[in-house]
Amino acid sequence: MNIIVCVKQIPDPETPASSFKVDEAAKKVIPAQGIAPVVNPYDPQATEAALRLKDAAGGGKVTVVSLGPDSARDAIKHALAMGADEGVLLSDPAFEDIDNFQTARALAAAIQKIGEFDLILMGRASADWDMGVVPLGVGTLLGVPVVTVAKSVEADGSKVTVERVLDDGFQKVEADLPAIVTVSNEFGEPRYPQLRQIMMAAKKTVQVWSAADLGLGDDQLGTANRAMPLEALYQPKVEVNVEVIEGDSPEEMARNLAQKLRAAKLI
Amino acid sequence: MPGTLVIAEVIDGSVSPASFELLGAARKLADEGAGPVAAFVAGGDAQAQELIAHGADTVYTSSADPSSLAEVLLPAVDAAIEQSGATIVLIAQSSLGRDLGPLLAFKHNTGVAMDSTEVKVENGRLRATRSAYGGNARAEHTWKSDPQIATLKAKSHDPLEADSSRSGDIKAIDAVGEARIRVLSTEKAESTGIRLEDAPIVVAGGRGLGDASGFELLEQLAGTLPSAAVAASRAACDLGWFPPALQVGLTGKTVSPNVYIAVAISGASQHMAGMAGSKNVVSINKDADANMVKVSKFAVIEDYKKIIPALIEEIKKLG
């Protein structure tokens, strides 16, 4: 079974709020000092699903694709260290600050260039912009069905069976291959690469493709060709309005808190 | 502008509360010059009348199964866009909306703003505000082309009071899409007690609890409050102290209770992303500088092990 996994490198979502800064004029996040970017937290679960499906099928290839700057190689290396076979980095100055509409186009073009695939797996969303749009965009562009928010994925040679997480429950669905499935955190813990695998991953091939390699021109990329221009990016003003509950003992603090909550009709 | 189309949803036979919030937002846009308000619903005349009472001028009904997946509803929604001439489409950020918004956008070569918290008309175009980077940033978007599609975060807009004297047109649409994804079964989440997302009060614990036994205290506190649920941060779940299914945060559940009691939670963006919509935050934390304390209405700066047992007693006394 040939599987393509799309991964993304993002600023660490565990970054303390005090270290998070935005350049409002440039409409960009300023990378936090000393905090390295990480693989989007849903993506290792997509890679894990791919590796399990390849094992269950008794063979095939798992190809990891990432769009981003040269540092995004690390996100690919992480998936390779988990056990994926090959990597493709889509990197080009023209990809900087593109929106999810353009990202989906670039990924779809890359997937077409890779060629044969049975299944594409992605995280349910990226934790930076948290939109979840790209998988459905790639599906529309490639003309394949997209099954979203999976907690389990099984596949045989012809179809994929997925348990989806809904707002108020679960749903079991199936679709013919090829298809796209997005994986959610309910899938469970991904494997953690061991040192030996990390060293082996260093020997695996990572191809680098530019916009031109994908047949994408200047009329499709750059911020000028976003479907949705970003008009403003800023940090919301947090009005610190906290009332610290005083008291000479924990019991008194607790009593004062209980009374405040009751007076405010909160309990 | 030629108007807004709201995609209403019917769940278990009733129009979802989020649908009425969409209509409230669409009427606000109409006041700002966006034109008339149309609604689409996979439902019948009864549901259409409800939508009209809540602000729709025209309702397009489809006889498709209301629980259909987005790809099945897509052609009917498209027909409603075409017939209404709407240049704005509002969809709930629901299981359906998460799929329908992007599918619709790519079909029309346009963009979609997911989980928007505010929509307004500016210079004749839609402008949507949404949260990014786990609530650390706000982004404002516009659209290059129509339709301008946004999904709205639950409870971000108020519904209008139902007015049964309002009148409107009801038109049937019979387009149905191919079901490439076949639904085999659907089950509701088992409801032992109150669902975390519906609980008016949430008591949540973080890494600062120190060990799993801290959650027993939180359970006891929740037990003394009416309709309270217990949740945890990702850090606490990763440590195995609490079930991951009850994690609040970016990679967990999103909640917006009236009261969120954050116990020993520092407030990293990962966690804030899941609870930023809480109306009133109460912090119990040893660290007065914790981010969670800053966003709180009330805070107690003390060891939770000393405060919670006393708080349980005090709440019992209040009755």
Side-chain angles (χ1 to χ4, degrees), chain B residues 52-134:
Chain B
I52 290 167
H54 281 89
D57 301 314
T58 309
V59 179
Y60 297 89
T61 60
S62 154
S63 57
D65 183 337
S67 64
S68 299
L69 296 179
E71 60 178 6
V72 174
L73 296 177
L74 193 58
V77 170
D78 255 342
I81 293 174
E82 198 185 314
Q83 289 182 28
S84 65
T87 54
I88 297 173
V89 181
L90 299 181
I91 307 172
Q93 178 76 11
S94 59
S95 291
L96 175 70
R98 269 186 276 270
D99 289 355
L100 184 60
L103 287 179
L104 203 53
F106 276 85
K107 192 164 182 204
H108 288 267
N109 265 318
T110 183
V112 53
M114 304 299 290
D115 216 11
S116 306
T117 51
E118 192 190 340
V119 282
K120 62 183 170 192
V121 176
E122 219 172 81
N123 304 320
R125 299 293 293 170
L126 187 67
R127 190 175 177 111
T129 304
R130 60 184 304 279
S131 181
Y133 293 92

Side-chain angles (χ1 to χ4, degrees), chain B residues 1-6 22-23 25-27 29-30 34-39 57-58 84-90 121 126 148:
Chain B
M1 278 200 286
T4 303
L5 177 70
V6 158
L22 298 176
L23 284 170
R27 284 258 64 108
L29 295 178
V37 176
D57 301 314
T58 309
S84 65
T87 54
I88 297 173
V89 181
L90 299 181
V121 176
L126 187 67
Q148 305 159 92

Side-chain angles (χ1 to χ4, degrees), chain B residues 264-309:
Chain B
I265 299 179
S266 66
S269 67
Q270 147 76 248
H271 187 71
M272 306 305 280
M275 51 68 67
S278 304
K279 308 290 177 297
N280 301 283
V281 178
V282 178
S283 276
I284 300 173
N285 206 304
K286 279 198 282 199
D287 177 10
D289 295 324
N291 191 48
M292 186 63 83
V293 171
K294 288 180 188 158
V295 304
S296 296
K297 183 179 177 72
F298 299 117
V300 179
I301 310 304
E302 180 53 277
D303 184 355
Y304 81 94
K305 283 184 185 161
K306 295 180 185 161
I307 295 296
I308 304 272

Side-chain angles (χ1 to χ4, degrees), chain A residues 13 42 105 128-129 148 167-168 170 172-174 176 185 224 226-229 231-232 234 243 245 262, chain B residues 95 98-99 109 112 130 133 138 140 142 144 182 184-185 187-189 195 250-251 269-270 297 299 319:
Chain A
Y42 301 111
R105 274 176 197 277
D128 48 1
W129 287 93
T148 52
D167 290 333
D168 57 353
F170 303 97
K172 200 167 185 181
V173 303
E174 64 174 26
D176 294 338
N185 46 297
R226 292 173 66 109
M228 288 183 19
E231 303 291 348
Y234 52 93
E243 180 177 348
I245 306 294
R262 175 54 59 88
Chain B
S95 291
R98 269 186 276 270
D99 289 355
N109 265 318
V112 53
R130 60 184 304 279
Y133 293 92
R138 296 276 182 283
E140 294 184 13
T142 53
K144 276 238 183 63
R182 302 175 288 276
L184 304 177
S185 62
E187 56 172 306
K188 294 277 175 196
R195 230 164 57 99
L250 200 58
T251 50
S269 67
Q270 147 76 248
K297 183 179 177 72

Side-chain angles (χ1 to χ4, degrees), chain A residues 222-245:
Chain A
T223 50
N225 292 301
R226 292 173 66 109
M228 288 183 19
L230 180 60
E231 303 291 348
L233 185 71
Y234 52 93
Q235 289 177 268
K237 304 263 178 298
V238 180
E239 262 187 59
V240 180
N241 231 339
V242 60
E243 180 177 348
V244 175
I245 306 294

Side-chain angles (χ1 to χ4, degrees), chain A residues 5 10-11 20 51 67 96 102 104 115 130 148-149 174 180 186 208 243 251:
Chain A
V5 182
I10 61 162
F20 183 88
L51 296 173
L67 184 147
E96 202 174 319
Q102 295 162 300
D130 199 18
T148 52
V149 201
E174 64 174 26
I180 299 178
E186 286 87 350
V208 182
E243 180 177 348
E251 290 72 24

